[in-house]
Amino acid sequence: MANLRILTGDNKGKKFEIDRDEIVIGRAAENVVPIPEPAISGKHCAIVRDGRKFTVKDLGSTNGTRLNGVVVKEYQLSPKDIITVGSVDIQFDGTDIEPAGTPAPSPTTTGPQVTVRISPPPTSLSTAPSTAFSAKKDGKWLWISIAAVFGIVVLGALVFFLIRLSGVGS
């Protein structure tokens, strides 16, 4: 049976069996594979089963879905493929899975047959999360800076008026 195993993040080591024709991965708690990370959409991507074939489909996520380091909208999975949502890596694996690029056996096929799978480029060795998948920043520091500047202006005006009232310098 096919399964997903979380390789990174707070849920590292959790395993999910793919026991239905479609499972959804995302931040929302009602998903089959819930991952509460800010860079992951509520319904980020789905794994769709069609017989022995499994396909990953991006569900219009904000940060996209990567398969073995390459951004994909929809792609057939093979055992040991790594799906990345946000900064979380998930390994697809299992038994009785038809790998991507393997043609279905045909009774009319004669002679030797060669199958070529064009693999995405290898991922880099860096384990640092991509900035494209970082959590959204709040405007807290902007407001603190504005408040500090406003405070300095008010303090300067107060000192100016106190000097004028005391008559110093006139």
Side-chain angles (χ1 to χ4, degrees), residues 36-102:
E37 298 273 337
I40 298 174
S41 297
K43 292 189 180 292
H44 199 97
C45 66
I47 306 296
V48 179
R49 177 177 64 187
D50 181 17
R52 293 178 46 226
K53 294 180 182 179
F54 293 83
T55 303
V56 61
K57 291 184 180 182
D58 185 80
L59 299 177
S61 65
T62 303
N63 291 322
T65 300
R66 290 181 285 159
L67 178 63
N68 300 322
V70 177
V71 175
V72 294
K73 293 290 181 195
E74 182 174 340
Y75 202 86
Q76 186 180 342
L77 296 167
S78 292
K80 307 291 185 197
D81 276 345
I82 305 294
I83 302 162
T84 304
V85 293
S87 61
V88 177
D89 292 334
I90 305 166
Q91 185 178 48
F92 171 79
D93 204 5
T95 57
D96 199 31
I97 297 168
E98 185 175 316
T102 303

